[in-house]
Amino acid sequence: MQKPNGSGIGRVLKAAKCSMQGFSASWKHESAFRQETVLAIISVPLAALLATSVSQFALLVSVWCLVLVVELLNSAIESLTDRVGLERHELSGRAKDMGSAAVFVSLVIVALIWGSALYERFA
């Protein structure tokens, strides 16, 4: 049976196009995603200056990538919830709050990793 998105390289190209549309929609409609993306971009040269090893550099950059992943998922949850209905509903609010909590936890991870790197470098 033929899959709707095709197979092989055609499927990979269609998936890449969908991914780019997701990035574009997030950038256009989600201010938190824009802010976190800017912070992630700024963090790359700072990580290069701060890191004492290649693996530490990778970790410092990766935690910002984690934030972006979680923010994208949170934005997807919010969009889908709003699509289902804009009226206040306990489960909709809970889903949005859980997504927000996930973003918060990812930012705490950033603070812990960057804080420990700063401590190791300057203490």
Side-chain angles (χ1 to χ4, degrees):
M1 176 157 80
Q2 183 71 10
K3 294 190 176 192
N5 287 333
S7 61
I9 191 71
R11 188 201 175 295
V12 171
L13 294 174
K14 286 181 182 179
K17 180 182 176 189
C18 290
S19 296
M20 292 304 107
Q21 289 172 340
F23 282 123
S24 177
S26 295
W27 184 265
K28 181 178 180 182
H29 300 287
E30 299 294 333
S31 62
F33 180 77
R34 288 190 300 274
Q35 293 165 351
E36 291 157 353
T37 299
V38 168
L39 288 171
I41 291 167
I42 291 169
S43 78
V44 173
L46 294 176
L49 295 172
L50 178 61
T52 57
S53 68
V54 173
S55 59
Q56 189 179 48
F57 172 79
L59 181 62
L60 290 168
V61 173
S62 294
V63 292
W64 276 110
C65 292
L66 172 68
V67 170
L68 296 178
V69 168
V70 176
E71 185 61 53
L72 287 165
L73 293 171
N74 180 47
S75 296
I77 290 167
E78 289 180 353
S79 293
L80 185 58
T81 303
D82 289 346
R83 195 263 184 217
V84 170
L86 294 176
E87 71 279 354
R88 293 189 62 73
H89 190 280
E90 179 185 352
L91 294 176
S92 296
R94 190 182 309 162
K96 288 183 172 191
D97 290 347
M98 289 174 177
S100 178
V103 173
F104 177 79
V105 169
S106 71
L107 290 169
V108 169
I109 293 169
V110 167
L112 290 171
I113 297 296
W114 276 77
S116 65
L118 286 165
Y119 179 80
E120 286 178 3
R121 179 80 157 149
F122 297 110

